[in-house]
Amino acid sequence: MNTFELSPSSLGYFVFNATNLNSWKEFAVDIIGMHLADEQEGSRLLLRLDDRAQRFIFEQSDEDDLAAVGWEFDTEQELENIVAHIKSEGVSIELASNELCINRCVEKLYTCMDPNGVQHELYFAPAFAALKEPFNSPVMLGDFIAGKLGAGHYVSVTQDAAATEHFFLNILCLRLSDYIRAELGPGGPLLDTTFLHTKTGRHHSAAFAAMPFPKKLHHVMIQVENMNDVGLAYDRCKQANLPIVMELGHHPNDQMFSFYVQTPGGFVLEFGWGGIVIDDNDWSVKSYSQLSDWGHQQPVS
Ligand SMILES: [Fe+2]
């Protein structure tokens, strides 16, 4: 079986270490509009984007960063196929405990580490929320775009781009979307970012770049179906005096209209609309020379 066929179906969930769960709850629920699924005081905060039991998992910690990402497979056979592939590549991958499966709300789970210290959790059969508890954002007009496309995307900060590319393409079997090589701000360092997608084709579920940033995670993106929810979320962030990292703008590769705000974790959240879905039968990999085709300026302080 070639690596193309072994690709995950989607990025199903994010797990973050967090020093202050209360500030995350205020930010993610009241400002961003996620649905509070459950909270265990001083221990865990669980948030929904759709009909799944949980998509964003926060665990009390002494650091603020990405801890793990969950990669979803449609069947147990597909999961076992990629696990056999990863083992054949000489990479360590472990069957997770029943306790971790319950924690992640999945039936079966394997874990392995990437070169950047992020745990990758490969699973099948995620739990859905009860029908009597439909997704309900406290502040949004419409819904998040999740479902089979997954929770969103993230950009991983790496010190070893070659090892990370090997892990994502040849071990995890993600599919190459495109590249952007552009200056990070006027006169800034050249940022070389690689974008990768899964079987269900969200333009990218993961991307990586070597950049000067103090965390493993540069940003995580969530996408909405109603463009007005981007503007309304932007207004809520401004009213709450949250630091806008990049103003409203548009990316040339995934066609995302978005803004970027700093989170309580010190990394960034991209709030977007309009990102494209890749059809692998009609896709060619390109390299772009700009991060944004309009906007996304850093605010003048
Ligand atoms: Fe992004």
Side-chain angles (χ1 to χ4, degrees):
M1 194 171 288
N2 62 35
T3 54
F4 192 82
E5 288 305 317
L6 291 168
S7 179
S9 179
S10 65
L11 190 168
Y13 60 80
F14 296 102
V15 185
F16 303 93
N17 286 327
T19 57
N20 189 333
L21 294 178
N22 278 334
S23 56
W24 265 111
K25 187 169 88 168
E26 282 175 26
F27 173 78
V29 177
D30 301 342
I31 308 285
I32 297 305
M34 296 186 192
H35 175 146
L36 178 63
D38 197 7
E39 59 181 323
Q40 290 134 23
E41 192 72 26
S43 165
R44 277 158 46 87
L45 174 69
L46 307 172
L47 301 172
R48 288 172 55 191
L49 299 178
D50 59 0
D51 56 358
R52 293 292 178 79
Q54 55 190 29
R55 290 290 200 178
F56 275 62
I57 301 166
F58 294 87
E59 298 183 332
Q60 183 69 45
S61 172
D62 57 4
E63 65 157 12
D64 288 290
D65 211 336
L66 182 65
V69 290
W71 296 102
E72 185 166 311
F73 293 81
D74 289 339
T75 66
E76 187 170 17
Q77 188 59 57
E78 288 183 18
L79 176 62
E80 294 299 341
N81 286 344
I82 193 160
V83 169
H85 163 76
I86 291 171
K87 286 180 177 170
S88 77
E89 292 286 321
V91 174
S92 174
I93 183 162
E94 305 288 335
L95 182 63
S97 66
N98 202 33
E99 186 185 1
L100 189 62
C101 291
I102 292 168
N103 180 297
R104 303 298 197 240
C105 289
V106 301
E107 189 172 322
K108 190 175 190 180
L109 180 69
Y110 290 88
T111 63
C112 65
M113 296 297 288
D114 78 11
N116 308 305
V118 174
Q119 178 158 290
H120 292 259
E121 303 183 352
L122 288 64
Y123 69 91
F124 88 105
F128 287 77
L131 270 182
K132 64 182 180 187
E133 293 172 10
F135 173 79
N136 184 22
S137 170
V139 289
M140 281 181 16
L141 298 178
D143 288 333
F144 289 105
I145 293 182
K148 68 182 175 67
L149 297 182
H153 74 230
Y154 79 106
V155 175
S156 184
V157 177
T158 182
Q159 306 307 319
D160 189 341
T164 303
E165 179 174 9
H166 175 70
F167 180 84
F168 277 134
L169 283 177
N170 303 324
I171 305 301
L172 199 55
C173 300
L174 296 178
R175 300 172 179 180
L176 189 57
S177 304
D178 44 38
Y179 305 97
I180 299 181
R181 292 179 182 130
E183 283 180 356
L184 186 61
L190 193 68
L191 196 65
D192 192 342
T193 310
T194 302
F195 298 84
L196 304 130
H197 63 281
T198 63
K199 266 184 190 166
T200 51
R202 184 189 287 276
H203 173 277
H204 58 285
S205 292
F208 64 89
M211 68 176 105
F213 197 72
K215 294 188 179 287
K216 291 181 271 191
L217 175 65
H218 178 265
H219 76 263
V220 58
M221 190 283 313
I222 49 173
Q223 187 176 342
V224 291
E225 64 174 17
N226 184 331
M227 189 180 77
N228 290 307
D229 273 321
V230 178
L232 290 167
Y234 178 81
D235 280 352
R236 288 192 299 273
C237 289
K238 296 285 266 192
Q239 280 160 11
N241 286 319
L242 295 176
I244 300 297
V245 178
M246 290 205 282
E247 297 285 356
L248 291 162
H250 184 263
H251 290 300
N253 60 338
D254 65 352
Q255 301 286 312
M256 191 76 78
F257 164 64
S258 62
F259 73 96
Y260 290 68
V261 60
Q262 188 165 324
T263 72
F267 48 84
V268 181
L269 178 95
E270 179 184 10
F271 195 104
W273 172 88
I276 61 170
V277 174
I278 290 173
D279 172 0
D280 279 303
N281 296 314
D282 185 22
W283 186 255
S284 52
V285 174
K286 297 187 192 74
S287 191
Y288 294 82
S289 57
Q290 53 189 10
L291 275 173
S292 307
D293 40 22
W294 64 264
H296 282 154
Q297 281 102 357
Q298 295 168 21
V300 182
S301 55

